Structure formats: structure tokens, C-alpha cells
Amino acid sequence: MDHIIVKCKNQEAEAQKALYEMYKDQMFAICMRYVKLSHDAEDVFIDAFFKILTKIDHFKGEGSFEGWMRRIMVNESLMYLRKKNNLRMTVELPEQDIADITPTDEDSLTFDEIMAVMDELPAGYRTVFNLYVFEDFKHREIADILGISINTSKSQLILAKKRLLELIKKKDILMSKLNS
Amino acid sequence: MDTKHHSKLIQKASQHQVAPKDSAWFKLESKLEKSRSSEKIKYYRNISVAAVLFAILGVVSVFTYEKNTNDKNNSEVYSSHLQLMNPDPEEGIYDIKKLRSLKEAYKRLSTKGKI
């Protein structure tokens, strides 16, 4: 792996192709989680991989290379969403409501169930959900990244979980109707 | 969210894979080609700018050297002429006629562009 990175730093075409083949599926999956439409996700993916391959000399070996690539993919996805002005988040629950939240059904949703309906979430809910649940950011960090308040981040997460559960239940009802 | 469940979701997300279309690589490759070409152009442009600057420096330094050499030669000629004219160097008395003829000679030299 190290020798591929060194060759990529010298902009060798074969090494760049090899790196792309190693990580394309994982990295594209990240873009698909953030960006709703697959052709838009592909554009974001290409721009992000281009940045990875041309700025690879910025990777100094601190931390994992995969983690560095993932951060670039997430940042490019967020930049795309900001450009499209899809990150409007104005709904904020009262602080008391946030404090009163106890673990509920939505906290036990499986990964497959989430992925089945995630596309139907609004961009703001989906983004905060991704950053909190899959990238493991804290609300303070999400607030800094997105330029929102901590309470907005928390509200968006709660509302995202509720919406996911509603969508899954709706889908289950639809599937059972179709099967019967 | 339960920590164990959360960790499981993070792990699943890191292993999740979705294959992009084959065309994605071709689009990326053409972007990389363009980037490599523009890097080469920048490199050769920088070299040619440096070469031009060196050439200008070289011409200026040669010109300056020639001018300094001429000035030095002329001042040596002038001081040797003065010494020939002066009958008494310690007293510093100069023959006015000889000074005038020297002045005329200098005028002629400067019009010819030799000073």
C-alpha cells in the first residue's frame, strides 16, 4: 500500500488507477449517503477522488490513509450540498423537549433498514444523521462544520430518526400489503 | 443511542460499498490527464522565464563591464596627459595652453563616442 501511495505522489498513472480500484466502492458509498441523486453523487465522487490523487502529497502519514480519503469525500459532499443550498436547517426543538428524549424504537434501527429509506430524508436531516451516526461527530463539531447551533444539530438528529422510523413502518406496511 | 448499537452502525457504514459506473473512471482519468499537461506547461513556462531573465542579466552585465573598462582607460589617459603637461607636479602649476589643447582633444574623443 505504501509503495502505491509513493507512486501516486509521483503522479504515476498506473498507481493512481490501482488506488482507485482499491477504494472506489467504499468512497462512492459515502457520497451516495450524502447526495440523493446517483449522477450527482458520481460528480461529487469524481471531484473528491481527483482531489485525493492530486493532493496526495498533503497526506503526511499521520493517521490512516483511508480515514484521510473519507474526510475528503465527506467534505466534498458537504460542499456540494452547500452549493445547492440544500443545507437549510431552521427547525429547532425546544431545549426541554431535547432533554426529555429517551431511547426509543428509532435507536435500534438496523443499517440495512436505514439505508433502504435514507434517500427519502430531507438533505438537512440526512446530513446531520450521517455526520452523527456514521462519521461519529459530536453535536458541537457538527454545529461548527455546518454553521448551525448545537440545539439545531440535536433537533435535526431527533427529527431524522423519527422520520426514518415512519418511513420504515410505511414501507413494511406496503410490503405486507403487496405480499398478501 | 446505545453505544454498542452505534459502534455497530459505524462499522457497517465503513464496510458499506456501492460500485460507481465504469464511466466514472474515464471521467476522472481525463481530468488527471488535463492536470498533468497543465503542470508540464507551467514547468516549461517557468524555465523559459528564468532563461529570459538570465539572458537579460547577461546582456546588462556585459554592457556595464564594457562601459566601466572604457571609463577606466579614459581616466588613465587623462591623468597621464596631465603629468606630461605639468612641469612642477609638487607645486600643481599647469600650462594653460596645454590645458586648452587637452580640452579640445577630449571634446573630439567624446563626439566620436569613445568616452
Side-chain angles (χ1 to χ4, degrees), chain A residues 11 13 16-17 20 25-26 28-29 42 46-47 50 53 70 107-109 111 115 132-134 136 161, chain B residues 1-2 5-6 9-10 12-14 16-21 23-25 27-28 31-32 35-36:
Chain A
Q11 299 296 307
Q16 288 175 330
K17 176 106 202 274
Y20 174 83
D25 297 342
Q26 261 175 298
F28 187 58
E42 188 180 285
I46 289 168
D47 288 343
F50 177 75
L53 292 175
R70 293 177 78 88
D107 289 329
S108 59
L109 293 173
F111 181 79
M115 293 313 294
Y132 185 86
V133 173
F134 297 131
D136 201 21
K161 287 180 186 177
Chain B
M1 193 174 262
D2 175 45
H5 180 64
H6 190 186
L9 286 176
I10 293 170
K12 282 269 186 177
S14 68
H16 185 223
Q17 296 191 351
V18 179
K21 287 185 195 162
S23 57
W25 167 249
K27 288 178 191 171
L28 177 60
K31 277 186 93 152
L32 289 167
S35 160
R36 276 187 218 111

Side-chain angles (χ1 to χ4, degrees), chain A residues 143-156:
Chain A
D144 284 341
I145 291 167
L146 299 179
I148 56 177
S149 68
I150 295 174
N151 274 348
T152 304
S153 175
K154 288 179 181 176
S155 308
Q156 294 286 306

Side-chain angles (χ1 to χ4, degrees), chain A residues 34-37 39-41 43-44 47 74-87:
Chain A
Y34 284 88
V35 180
K36 196 167 176 171
L37 298 170
H39 63 263
D40 290 339
D43 290 340
V44 172
D47 288 343
V74 170
N75 286 341
E76 277 301 306
S77 304
L78 294 177
M79 269 171 54
Y80 170 83
L81 291 170
R82 270 192 212 101
K83 226 191 288 185
K84 294 279 175 188
N85 212 13
N86 279 356
L87 289 180

